[in-house]
């Protein structure tokens, strides 16, 4: 939570400040959301309740549809785009639904809140040859950091896991006999994700020649280590991806999430069904996964336009 949000939160009427405290506890405890997600929800909630207080509201049941609408409208006048407005509206609806479930309001006023749908842009993805060049960019490395970077690239593309999931892996999360990763995803939901032979070779090189050279008392069970022996930071993993992508001619400027997009797209293009890709990526809703069908259709159209004699 930023300093400005903390200051605004501290200035809320006592009853509204108590509501924020209870809601944050619900997000962390009952829903087990990540720290980043909790901060985002709390920031929006504090902003909404500060707006309510400026409209003379002092209790949660003072929140009505007019206050919600004027809060979103205020954001639009100060520069919020469609995507931000849609996100803030979704955050508000989550909050008002919780208020109703806990009995703090007689009705869920957020049910009638309409917001603009965010434009959903297609994620940039690598072509298969570009993906191969990216993950093989550290081939032949023998120093510990190079062996680690090779594994970072191989696992991100081979499994399609998030960078936060990657750096959270422990050594015991790898089932080398079955080529499976035990991944703890969003909402602390656990899933098993397969990886292939190239990633297994990179894993073997890292565990036999790389990790032992970097391991210290600080390492604990972490699979991937930084140069000083602690668990690898997600920022360093992102730098590894950006460096490899920048060295690949014609590749779009993507990070770890772009490798995830690329893996999902290439698996679909290889014939996998959408449900399998949903499980692979750990999406709670199939609707989230369906964006990749648009990516593959767009690529099909491009190939058709370039190659078909009557395109």
């Amino acid at each position: 939570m930023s300093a400005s949000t903390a200051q605004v939160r501290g200035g809320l009427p006592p009853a509204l400040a108590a509501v924020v405290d209870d809601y944050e506890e619900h997000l962390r405890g009952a829903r087990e959301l990540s720290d980043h997600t909790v901060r985002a929800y709390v920031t929006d909630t504090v902003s909404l309740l500060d707006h309510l207080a400026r409209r003379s509201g002092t209790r949660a049941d003072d929140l009505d549809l007019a206050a919600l609408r004027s809060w979103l409208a205020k954001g639009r006048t100060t520069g919020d785009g469609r995507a931000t407005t849609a996100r803030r509206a979704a955050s508000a609806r989550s909050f008002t639904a919780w208020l109703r479930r806990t009995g703090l309001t007689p009705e869920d006023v957020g049910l009638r809140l309409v917001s603009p749908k965010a434009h959903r842009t297609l994620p940039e993805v690598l072509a298969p040859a570009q993906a191969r060049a990216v993950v093989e960019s550290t081939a032949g490395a023998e120093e510990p950091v190079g062996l680690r970077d090779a594994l970072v690239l191989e696992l991100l593309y081979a499994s399609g896991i998030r960078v936060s999931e990657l750096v959270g892996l422990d050594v015991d999360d790898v089932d080398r006999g079955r080529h499976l990763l035990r991944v703890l995803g969003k909402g602390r939901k656990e899933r098993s994700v397969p990886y292939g032979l190239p990633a297994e070779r990179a894993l073997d090189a890292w565990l036999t020649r790389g990790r032992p050279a970097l391991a210290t008392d600080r390492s604990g069970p972490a699979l991937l280590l930084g140069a000083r022996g602690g668990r690898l930071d997600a920022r360093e993993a992102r730098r590894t991806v950006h460096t490899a992508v920048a060295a690949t001619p014609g590749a779009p400027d993507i990070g770890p999430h772009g490798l995830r997009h690329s893996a999902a797209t290439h698996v679909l293009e290889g014939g996998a069904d959408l449900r399998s890709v949903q499980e692979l990526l750990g999406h709670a809703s199939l609707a989230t996964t369906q964006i990749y069908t648009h990516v593959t259709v767009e690529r099909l159209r491009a190939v058709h336009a370039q190659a078909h004699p009557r395109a």
Side-chain angles (χ1 to χ4, degrees):
M1 185 168 55
S2 67
S4 58
T5 298
Q7 291 169 355
V8 173
R9 183 174 180 173
L12 291 174
L16 295 182
V19 167
V20 176
D21 292 342
D22 291 344
Y23 185 50
E24 182 174 10
E25 183 177 345
H26 162 74
L27 295 173
R28 293 189 186 279
R31 294 186 59 181
E32 295 186 330
L33 299 178
S34 69
D35 289 342
H36 175 78
T37 303
V38 170
R39 282 196 299 272
Y41 273 121
V42 169
T43 296
D44 285 339
T45 302
V46 168
S47 173
L48 171 59
L49 294 184
D50 176 60
H51 182 74
L52 176 64
R54 293 175 186 276
R55 290 167 56 93
S56 302
T58 58
R59 296 165 47 88
D61 55 9
D62 291 327
L63 186 61
D64 57 14
L65 186 59
L68 289 173
R69 286 172 172 167
S70 64
W71 174 63
L72 291 180
K74 179 183 176 183
R76 293 303 297 269
T77 61
T78 56
D80 287 351
R82 289 172 63 93
T84 300
T85 301
R87 178 190 58 76
R88 284 161 64 90
S91 182
R93 283 192 289 267
S94 176
F95 175 60
T96 60
W98 174 81
L99 289 175
R100 176 66 185 89
R101 286 196 306 272
T102 53
L104 291 172
T105 56
E107 63 172 326
D108 182 355
V109 296
L111 288 175
R112 293 180 288 149
L113 181 65
V114 178
S115 63
K117 290 185 177 181
H119 292 298
R120 205 163 191 190
T121 56
L122 298 179
E124 286 196 289
V125 296
L126 300 170
Q130 292 172 336
R132 189 179 307 111
V134 167
V135 297
E136 292 178 356
S137 62
T138 54
E142 287 299 328
E143 74 280 7
V145 170
L147 294 173
R148 182 205 64 201
D149 289 348
L151 181 58
V152 165
L153 295 168
E154 285 284 4
L155 284 184
L156 283 173
Y157 179 63
S159 64
I161 60 177
R162 302 174 179 93
V163 68
S164 59
E165 297 169 342
L166 174 78
V167 299
L169 289 172
D170 290 339
V171 174
D172 289 344
D173 290 328
V174 184
D175 183 340
R176 298 186 62 184
R178 296 191 296 166
H179 289 187
L180 290 175
L181 304 174
R182 184 172 65 241
V183 176
L184 197 62
K186 290 186 175 181
R188 300 190 65 79
K189 293 180 180 178
E190 186 178 296
R191 70 187 191 279
S192 293
V193 182
Y195 63 89
L197 287 175
E200 169 60 24
R201 288 192 289 269
L203 182 64
D204 184 68
W206 164 246
L207 290 177
T208 56
R209 305 196 305 277
R211 191 180 187 279
L214 293 181
T216 67
D217 293 340
R218 302 174 53 222
S219 303
L223 174 64
L224 293 162
L225 305 178
R228 296 182 179 179
R231 186 179 294 271
L232 180 66
D233 188 271
R235 289 171 296 183
E236 184 61 32
R238 292 189 184 96
R239 278 194 288 270
T240 296
V241 175
H242 282 293
T243 299
V245 170
T248 302
D253 182 19
I254 64 168
H257 217 65
L259 278 185
R260 176 173 161 86
H261 290 318
S262 300
T265 302
H266 299 164
V267 168
L268 273 174
E269 290 177 340
D273 64 274
L274 204 57
R275 287 285 182 188
S276 298
V277 177
Q278 179 189 4
E279 289 295 323
L280 181 73
L281 298 179
H283 286 159
S285 168
L286 188 62
T288 308
T289 315
Q290 284 175 332
I291 188 171
Y292 296 105
T293 63
H294 300 305
V295 175
T296 57
V297 167
E298 286 302 310
R299 182 167 291 178
L300 180 62
R301 289 179 58 191
V303 170
H304 180 272
Q306 180 178 355
H308 198 286
R310 297 184 70 82

